[in-house]
């Protein structure tokens, strides 16, 4: 098993996102982009893939999708340079096995985030198809 510390960016606007990305990109191989839609969680975040692709910053991205429809977001990101992994929530209102298979079918690594209080056994049927599991220390949404 490999352990990796991956910094996450949770930003309300483009300027904040870009400033944070430039700050951490030289020191890490992968950056996690927190994506919130205001539906699955109350908060929303800025995560425009076209703008990010235009910046030409040399890093790999994973998306932590705290959204009701993760596949639509992944479709928008699939051509971003360095986009390697999509992490969906075990509690998402979509069938988890189908989400994982769809992500893997896009030639991306598939991960699942699990919130406190959600039984880990929920992942048993798909565990062998996951590239990573993100165990949340708190409920998804607001950072800090």
């Amino acid at each position: 098993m490999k352990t990796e510390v991956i910094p996450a960016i949770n930003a309300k606007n483009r300027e904040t996102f870009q400033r944070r990305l430039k700050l951490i990109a030289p020191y890490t191989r992968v950056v996690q982009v927190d994506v919130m839609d205001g539906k699955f969680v109350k908060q929303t975040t800025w995560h425009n893939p076209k703008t990010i692709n235009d910046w030409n910053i040399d890093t790999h991205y994973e998306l932590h999708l705290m959204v009701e429809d993760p596949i639509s977001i992944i479709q928008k990101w699939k051509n971003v340079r360095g986009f390697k992994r999509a992490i969906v929530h075990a509690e998402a209102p979509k069938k988890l096995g189908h989400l994982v298979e769809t992500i893997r079918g896009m030639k991306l690594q598939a991960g699942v985030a699990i919130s406190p209080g959600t039984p880990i056994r929920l992942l048993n049927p798909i565990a062998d198809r996951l590239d990573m599991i993100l165990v949340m220390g708190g409920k998804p949404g607001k950072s800090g």
Side-chain angles (χ1 to χ4, degrees):
M1 177 170 55
K2 179 182 173 188
T3 301
E4 186 175 8
V5 176
I6 299 172
I9 297 178
N10 177 335
K12 292 280 184 199
N13 58 54
R14 184 187 69 78
E15 294 77 19
T16 301
F17 189 101
Q18 187 176 34
R19 185 180 77 251
R20 291 177 181 174
L21 180 60
K22 285 181 176 180
L23 182 68
I24 62 175
Y27 306 104
T28 186
R29 190 177 66 81
V30 181
V31 173
Q32 183 180 93
V33 179
D34 284 348
V35 180
M36 298 181 228
D37 64 1
K39 297 173 188 165
F40 182 72
V41 295
K42 290 180 188 177
Q43 295 76 18
T44 59
T45 55
W46 183 91
H47 55 272
N48 185 319
K50 181 179 179 343
T51 302
I52 291 169
N53 214 27
D54 289 346
W55 291 337
N56 200 22
I57 295 174
D58 187 27
T59 193
H60 290 145
Y61 299 98
E62 67 178 28
L63 299 181
H64 177 192
L65 296 152
M66 295 171 268
V67 300
E68 284 192 356
D69 184 13
I71 299 303
S72 68
I73 304 290
I74 295 167
Q75 289 285 356
K76 293 175 185 174
W77 271 77
K78 68 181 181 180
N79 294 320
V80 171
R81 244 178 342 272
F83 174 41
K84 303 290 184 194
R85 181 184 303 137
I87 304 164
V88 296
H89 264 268
E91 304 82 11
K94 306 283 184 191
K95 291 194 182 267
L96 196 52
H98 174 71
L99 287 174
V100 169
E101 289 307 314
T102 302
I103 292 165
R104 293 183 71 78
M106 293 181 195
K107 307 293 186 229
L108 295 167
Q109 293 178 12
V112 171
I114 191 160
S115 299
T118 300
I120 194 81
R121 69 179 174 276
L122 182 70
L123 303 182
N124 287 346
I126 60 163
D128 62 334
R129 294 177 284 170
L130 296 177
D131 296 291
M132 63 91 66
I133 297 171
L134 172 60
V135 179
M136 301 288 291
K139 291 182 180 181
K142 189 175 180 181
S143 67

